[in-house]
């Protein structure tokens, strides 16, 4: 029996009532991404390598976020 994913929110999340957070979960060979204010809605699934590349691009300032 497969257990439910453990969804995590960043410790840097505002934590207030703004609700502007995403949650990540480690899935089998991928990463799940969902809106924290609507956890009952479907989530996105992204490959581990793609997620890692996104984090690298954000940290190096390559993306204008």
């Amino acid at each position: 029996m497969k257990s439910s994913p453990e969804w995590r929110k960043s410790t840097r999340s505002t934590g207030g009532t703004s609700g502007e957070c995403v949650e990540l979960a480690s899935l089998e060979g991928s990463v799940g991404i969902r809106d924290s204010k609507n956890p009952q809605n479907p989530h996105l699934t992204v490959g581990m390598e793609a997620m890692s590349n996104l984090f690298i691009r954000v940290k190096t300032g390559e993306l204008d976020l």
Side-chain angles (χ1 to χ4, degrees), residues 2 5 11 14-16 20 22 25 29 32 37 45 48 54 56-57 63:
K2 192 174 180 181
T11 56
T14 57
E20 297 178 8
V22 296
K37 66 184 177 294
T45 302
M48 293 279 196
L54 174 62
I56 290 168
R57 293 177 70 194
L63 301 176

Side-chain angles (χ1 to χ4, degrees), residues 24-55:
L24 302 178
S26 180
L27 306 175
E28 224 173 286
S30 61
V31 177
I33 306 169
R34 72 179 184 183
D35 182 346
S36 64
K37 66 184 177 294
N38 293 307
Q40 71 283 359
N41 288 351
H43 64 270
L44 298 172
T45 302
V46 179
M48 293 279 196
E49 186 175 348
M51 195 68 182
S52 177
N53 288 335
L54 174 62
F55 288 150

Side-chain angles (χ1 to χ4, degrees), residues 5-16:
E6 184 179 336
W7 293 95
R8 296 178 179 210
K9 197 176 347 180
S10 171
T11 56
R12 294 182 182 217
S13 175
T14 57

